[in-house]
Amino acid sequence: MVRRNIVITGASSGLGEEMARQFAAKGRNLALCARRTEKLEKLRDELLAKHSGIEILIKPLDVNDHDAVFTVFRAFRDELGTIDRVIVNAGLGKGQPLGTGYFYANKATAETNFVAALAQCEAAMEIFREQKAGHLVVISSMSAYRNLGKNTTTYAATKAGVSALAEGIRADTAGTPIRVSTILPGYIRSEMNEKVKNTPLIVDTVKGVTSMVSAIEKERATADCPSWPWTVIGFAMRNLPLGIVKKLS
């Protein structure tokens, strides 16, 4: 099944921006939203200049404005006629070890990565249930498999949470035309980690997102991306003792 009309949140940069480029190249209509509308406008103009016969809608959206999430998703549905796929991608990567005085940063990450993702899933599922069809894609992280602490403590917890959320929705919709995919990226270069140096196994944005888009198009229930080496690493993360995993990370 070709999912023609695709919503991507957090589409103004990083993985969301590159997913928009790759889906546009496949001839899909895009509904892009993010806080930075000037970047969305630039991306829209770029994609329309490269690809004919597609429609690209853009709207400002702060996913922490939960009422606005529902309003924007419904507006996209009304303008496009249907929404075939929603990619819940918007997120934050900041955080500090708990108890070190940075509750505000950890709270912001928790609210954006989990509560706002819940709002996006709710809004998408309302539309999909009405349509009796659709594909919900939740962008999680390999860190969902094991929380290694330090600055990633809250981030990893939120990603474990959204993975569990997607699994619950998948259980609810089993046997229906609604599909649910959880995508777990490994180390992919993006705006979120552009200042992090000497990260082992990191791949460039285009290569990493190509793996993600492939898994999304196959509508896999879960996918470690890129599959090599992250499928093997994911198995190790889930099964080795925490002390060993921390030494290897």
Side-chain angles (χ1 to χ4, degrees):
M1 178 185 296
V2 174
R3 305 289 185 180
R4 180 69 176 167
N5 300 329
I6 302 174
V7 174
I8 305 175
T9 66
S12 63
S13 64
L15 305 184
E17 180 181 11
E18 182 58 27
M19 281 191 283
R21 288 194 174 98
Q22 295 195 21
F23 280 117
K26 293 178 179 292
R28 311 301 171 80
N29 298 323
L30 299 176
L32 308 177
C33 48
R35 290 176 301 167
R36 295 175 290 187
T37 52
E38 70 283 355
K39 296 197 72 174
L40 289 179
E41 291 169 355
K42 183 178 179 181
L43 178 61
R44 176 194 59 194
D45 294 345
E46 171 198 327
L47 297 180
L48 289 176
K50 289 183 178 179
H51 309 290
S52 61
I54 64 172
E55 187 171 359
I56 299 181
L57 307 178
I58 61 171
K59 293 186 185 298
L61 179 62
D62 180 346
V63 292
N64 288 302
D65 183 345
H66 304 142
D67 290 340
V69 171
F70 287 83
T71 299
V72 167
F73 280 27
R74 290 167 184 160
F76 280 146
R77 186 269 317 277
D78 292 344
E79 292 179 54
L80 292 171
T82 61
I83 292 177
D84 303 316
R85 174 180 287 149
V86 172
I87 302 177
V88 178
N89 169 72
L92 285 180
K94 65 182 181 181
Q96 294 290 328
L98 271 66
T100 60
Y102 290 90
F103 173 67
Y104 69 92
N106 294 326
K107 178 173 178 281
T109 294
E111 290 177 339
T112 301
N113 290 4
F114 185 79
V115 180
L118 172 62
Q120 294 166 71
C121 289
E122 285 269 15
M125 287 303 299
E126 279 192 3
I127 292 169
F128 292 161
R129 289 184 188 277
E130 290 173 3
Q131 296 176 166
K132 296 182 173 58
H135 183 206
L136 176 66
V137 179
V138 174
I139 305 301
S140 181
S141 166
M142 292 296 297
S143 66
Y145 288 139
R146 211 65 181 271
N147 197 322
L148 302 180
K150 296 185 179 178
N151 292 359
T152 66
T153 299
T154 301
Y155 176 82
T158 65
K159 292 305 184 178
V162 295
S163 289
L165 180 65
E167 185 174 50
I169 301 169
R170 190 179 305 117
D172 283 343
T173 57
T176 77
I178 299 172
R179 303 294 299 273
V180 181
S181 296
T182 308
I183 305 299
L184 300 103
Y187 297 145
I188 300 174
R189 183 64 70 189
S190 70
E191 185 178 74
M192 187 180 292
N193 60 34
E194 64 184 357
K195 295 181 180 180
V196 178
K197 306 300 181 184
N198 302 319
T199 302
L201 304 177
I202 198 164
V203 298
D204 66 71
T205 307
V206 173
K207 181 177 179 180
V209 171
T210 297
S211 173
M212 294 171 61
V213 168
S214 175
I216 291 169
E217 288 283 82
K218 293 173 183 175
E219 303 195 356
R220 295 177 57 185
T222 62
D224 303 331
C225 298
S227 59
W228 174 258
W230 291 102
T231 298
V232 174
I233 293 174
F235 179 85
M237 290 175 70
R238 293 190 298 273
N239 292 282
L240 290 175
L242 181 59
I244 294 176
V245 175
K246 286 193 68 174
K247 289 179 181 179
L248 295 176
S249 64

